[in-house]
Amino acid sequence: MAYLPAELLEYILCFPVLKHVDICNVSCSCKRLHDVCHGRGKVWGHQYKLRWPRLQKHYRQNECCDWLKEYRTRHTVGLQIRRTVVSISQRFFTEVVLGDSFAEIESLGAPEHFCEDELLSILNSDRRKSLTLKYYAKKILYFLRQKNILRSLKMFLEQPAEQQSALEGALLVDQYCNPLADVSLDGISSQLEEITDKVKKMLRIKNPSHPSLRVTQGDCFAVDDFDLQRQVVVTLNAVLYEQLQYKGNECDYYNPLNSYIHQVLLRRTGIPISLSVIYMTLARKLGVQLEPVNFPNHFLLRWCQQQRGSGDIYDFVYIDAFGKGKQLTAKECEYLIGHQVTADYYNAISTTEVLLRMVGNLLNIGKRGEGNEKSYQLLRDSLDLYLTINPDNVQYLLLQARLYFHLGIWPEKVLDILQHIQALDPSQHGAVGYLVQHTLEHIQHKKHPVEPEVKRRSAPEHLELQYSVGLIMKHKRSGYNCAIYGWDPKCTMSQEWITTMRVHQLSSGANQPFYNVLVQDGTCRYAAQENLEPHSAPLEIAHPEVGRYFSEFHDSHYVANEELQTRYPEDMAETLGTSERIGCV
């Protein structure tokens, strides 16, 4: 082989069956093969692209690069990331994992795209295995992407107001709340361009010489003639609401998906503000300049009917994007909400104000939530966004401090927020003082953590237990599917909870084992033993916290991870006999 031409050797060494270990072995065999492997970089470049195909977008085609060095760096980063994810799993099992917990990822000093690629590799591995690794990898990726999106939002807000696009701002809000989704400005713009092309196609039939038809993508122009503008608006309505069937989501108005641009385009439904952003963007692409109006309870767009602009609210037509593009007079806008408003509410607003309204909607949805992880996450995300746009809003700063305090997280950050509130508004000293006192107590308590209780099913007080951690169960009354991740020999909830949940009506009341279960709908519940039965056809439970407690799904049950095993050392489903596994007494 050593006497073959270098180009032929490179060709052979780039066969897909050869891995990096094979290349290392070949390069160690003799100087000639070592030079071929490392000389022009083609061999290691092939290995790099074969192993990490997602990273190709970060390199220009035919870019000259030290591929062996890149390979080593990426490989080393991968090992460091995996070690860090494992250590986070061990350290944060008993508490909420937050962004500050991931500071060590940043301290690695590794390229961000290498870190993200390794985290994605973990997430895309075997669906049923490495669940705990995936759980924390997902949280780290969530944190890293949100941090970058927040940085982009700050840069966006620093731009001059006239350069800020409502679509781009709304998309940053979307991306921050959905950092793991594949959402990009290019992708959204492409979808809107497709709708624009449909409008032009219909417009061409009505008026082949319309000036909007001569405009190419990216051009900035305005149609001056009102009759021509009206043709655009009428055609836009026909395409958007009749042909494509976009509509306001009246049946599920408070679903947060209605506020996310990529979801509005996917589901073709939304709320007034999200539909208005899309409508306004499409109209501008076609030469009609519309302005956003922060109308109470119902976001609108306005369309000036005067050549040189106007300050008179009656010189505008108001467009209801939620109501299929219906055109309204100023008086009809009041009929829409059922009461009169001052002229100020008809004024056009800035992109920043549009974003504040959009994020405010999400905040209200988060506050309306059921107090589960999903609603708390939405509340945290929307507060982050609102306070990035308006950092000195005392009302929302106080809400953020109270939320973190309620969840028992980030006590040090709570103190920083409270200090900022006190500087902004000294009249808040009562609320601030209360929270400072109790937050300091929390910090002190964290310095002396209580060791988790170890529960052994062989103990005399646990003999009534029929089911074990990891089993897939079905609730006899409610019908939901769930997985057990903990238990108590008797109900440990408060008397108020016991009364509210009517535990006394059960045949064994509170004096029976109760199980902590992860439910298919994403909630965590506390169920009595007599209400549970083993599932006849065990299936995986699509709950976001599964990876926190279990390492894999094995045929009929979940396998507890190391952290959960330390709490229930004798209770693993996979180690029990068949009779115990199906709950026979």
Side-chain angles (χ1 to χ4, degrees), residues 120-240:
L120 286 171
S121 296
I122 294 171
L123 291 174
N124 293 331
S125 59
D126 189 334
R127 182 170 61 89
R128 293 186 166 194
K129 297 184 179 297
S130 305
L131 300 181
T132 301
L133 205 63
K134 291 176 185 176
Y135 175 78
Y136 290 99
K138 187 175 181 179
K139 286 186 174 291
I140 295 170
L141 186 60
Y142 199 99
F143 161 72
L144 292 176
R145 285 190 175 178
Q146 278 198 328
K147 184 181 176 189
N148 287 334
I149 295 162
L150 216 55
R151 187 185 304 135
S152 297
L153 177 59
K154 290 175 181 177
M155 291 171 61
F156 173 83
L157 295 170
E158 289 172 358
Q159 295 176 1
E162 63 275 8
Q163 294 180 18
Q164 294 176 355
S165 156
L167 177 68
E168 186 178 349
L171 192 62
L172 286 166
V173 171
D174 183 348
Q175 290 173 324
Y176 191 80
C177 294
N178 304 282
L180 301 182
D182 184 16
V183 181
S184 68
L185 183 59
D186 287 343
I188 297 299
S189 297
S190 177
Q191 291 181 65
L192 293 178
E193 202 59 44
E194 288 178 12
I195 299 175
T196 304
D197 289 341
K198 292 181 187 296
V199 177
K200 287 181 178 179
K201 184 177 179 181
M202 187 178 289
L203 194 58
R204 186 173 287 109
I205 297 171
K206 296 181 178 180
N207 183 357
S209 61
H210 197 286
S212 296
L213 302 176
R214 297 193 295 270
V215 178
T216 57
Q217 184 176 353
D219 287 355
C220 184
F221 81 110
V223 175
D224 294 325
D225 185 87
F226 289 114
D227 288 334
L228 294 175
Q229 287 187 24
R230 190 167 289 105
Q231 288 178 11
V232 169
V233 172
V234 170
T235 309
L236 176 56
N237 286 347
V239 170
L240 204 58

Side-chain angles (χ1 to χ4, degrees), residues 4 56 82 147 270 301 305 322 355 365 371 380 406 425 429 472 543 557 561 564:
L4 293 174
Q56 297 318 298
R82 286 180 181 264
K147 184 181 176 189
L301 298 170
Q305 303 297 293
F322 186 81
L355 299 186
I365 294 170
R380 283 163 54 186
H406 172 73
D425 185 2
H429 66 274
I472 308 301
H543 192 288
H557 61 273
N561 59 22
L564 192 60

